[in-house]
Amino acid sequence: MLYNFNKEKLDKLLYDFYSLTGLATSVWDSQVNLLSFQPRDMCRFCSLVKTSAEGRQRCMESDRAICMECAATGKPATHYCHAGLVDTAVPIKYKDSVMGYIIFGQVVDNAEKITDIKLKKLSDELELNYKELLASYSELDSYDKEKISSAASVMKTVTAHLWLSEYIEIGYSAIASEIDNYIRENLKEDISIKGICERFSISKNKLYEISHQWFKMTVGEYVTLVRIEEAKKLLNSTDIPVHEVSSEVGINDYNYFTKVFKSNVGVPPLKYRKNFPFSIG
């Protein structure tokens, strides 16, 4: 599927949602790349946590984890991030495809406030000043689960219609769609630039132009993206051994597959399957 995010419109939507709810809100693409964030000035607590390299890594893993849950279920998901704050992710869907995610939160659960002991442990692990971390935590807004659930319901309704209001532009190009279908139908094969050009009787320059215009990345990056998407589906819905999943998506070197999967998803395939085991029947 070919689509583009209208960042200007999404910025306005996120700002309006933040103004009404006080919940920090962000939009991410299907590969969990940040596209927009409101408010522009992050809360002091999160900013402080992200001054630590370890803190930034944990934040990234938390964001990926909640988005993976959305991708696996196709439904909104709420969790506590590594620092104990409540975050909720809502999938942006078009028909049965997840195109991205909206995450909101960075607030304290009224019923599950972090203890001073846990904050001290966090400050030690991230090598941060405890008193400064404690002071910034006290500035955070508190929400109860009912309000968070209501906000998720509203956002779910909003995301279901984003493409209708041109927040997400669903595009169509006959040649790009044919190339996309060709890649998906031949994942197990050795897909090359030369092979695609010969199949569609186009030059390399024309292929690069199509790829950047419609896929927003190089051809090689797009092939890898499709392979990882298919691998995630197989890991979520079957009990096929991981090394066979690797072969099914056209990556015959298992070690390389593990490396590429972790680079794109944030966790290795075995851990991904463990977090989202398939169900039989």
Side-chain angles (χ1 to χ4, degrees):
M1 180 172 51
L2 311 176
Y3 57 87
N4 293 311
F5 288 88
N6 186 320
K7 294 184 181 180
E8 185 176 344
K9 283 195 170 187
L10 286 170
D11 264 344
K12 181 63 166 59
L13 172 66
L14 298 190
Y15 179 77
D16 289 343
F17 186 77
Y18 166 71
S19 296
L20 286 170
T21 65
L23 295 162
T25 311
S26 53
V27 61
W28 308 68
D29 66 17
S30 60
Q31 293 304 295
V32 199
N33 297 307
L34 181 63
L35 300 177
S36 182
F37 183 88
Q38 290 290 348
R40 293 302 187 192
D41 296 325
M42 192 179 298
C43 68
R44 190 158 73 100
F45 180 83
C46 291
S47 295
L48 184 58
V49 167
K50 290 186 177 183
T51 60
S52 159
E54 174 66 20
R56 289 194 299 275
Q57 179 64 26
R58 291 185 183 186
C59 288
M60 182 182 74
E61 290 175 356
S62 287
D63 291 333
R64 285 187 177 276
I66 195 170
C67 288
M68 283 194 302
E69 185 174 346
C70 272
T73 65
K75 300 176 181 179
T78 296
H79 78 173
Y80 295 101
C81 76
H82 74 98
L85 305 188
V86 181
D87 281 327
T88 298
V90 180
I92 300 171
K93 300 176 68 177
Y94 176 74
K95 297 183 178 178
D96 293 328
S97 298
V98 175
M99 299 184 290
Y101 313 89
I102 288 181
I103 301 179
F104 63 84
Q106 295 184 352
V107 292
V108 177
D109 182 348
N110 280 330
E112 296 288 343
K113 292 186 177 180
I114 305 174
T115 64
D116 289 355
I117 294 175
K118 288 184 178 180
L119 274 178
K120 181 64 169 64
K121 183 175 183 290
L122 181 65
S123 68
D124 290 342
E125 291 174 348
L126 303 185
E127 298 181 348
L128 299 174
N129 182 284
Y130 168 66
K131 289 185 178 179
E132 189 175 356
L133 191 67
L134 179 62
S136 64
Y137 181 78
S138 68
E139 297 170 359
L140 292 167
D141 292 329
S142 297
Y143 263 67
D144 59 41
K145 291 182 179 179
E146 185 177 350
K147 286 187 177 180
I148 292 171
S149 178
S150 295
S153 294
V154 170
M155 188 56 78
K156 180 181 178 181
T157 301
V158 170
T159 57
H161 300 285
L162 288 179
W163 62 274
L164 288 173
S165 302
E166 298 181 349
Y167 286 87
I168 299 174
E169 299 156 353
I170 307 297
Y172 179 75
S173 160
I175 184 67
S177 294
E178 289 177 12
I179 291 172
D180 176 60
N181 289 336
Y182 173 81
I183 291 171
R184 294 178 185 278
E185 291 171 1
N186 294 277
L187 277 187
K188 294 180 69 172
E189 308 302 325
D190 181 17
I191 302 173
S192 67
I193 300 296
K194 181 181 178 181
I196 296 174
C197 289
E198 290 178 351
R199 169 65 178 76
F200 295 98
S201 301
I202 56 176
S203 67
K204 288 184 179 180
N205 286 340
K206 182 61 176 178
L207 177 59
Y208 295 151
E209 178 186 319
I210 292 169
S211 183
H212 282 288
Q213 179 180 358
W214 293 102
F215 304 146
K216 306 304 178 184
M217 60 188 74
T218 67
V219 180
E221 289 171 339
Y222 188 68
V223 171
T224 298
L225 170 64
V226 175
R227 282 179 164 147
I228 296 304
E229 284 181 349
E230 181 61 23
K232 287 163 66 176
K233 290 178 183 177
L234 292 172
L235 291 168
N236 281 335
S237 60
T238 75
D239 62 348
I240 297 174
V242 177
H243 71 275
E244 290 185 17
V245 170
S246 174
S247 298
E248 283 293 316
V249 300
I251 304 177
N252 295 318
D253 184 331
Y254 174 71
N255 291 328
Y256 179 68
F257 168 70
T258 300
K259 179 180 179 181
V260 172
F261 190 95
K262 183 177 181 181
S263 175
N264 281 268
V265 180
V267 294
L270 281 172
K271 186 172 182 180
Y272 179 82
R273 170 170 276 173
K274 182 179 179 181
N275 289 340
F276 302 103
F278 79 104
S279 57
I280 300 176

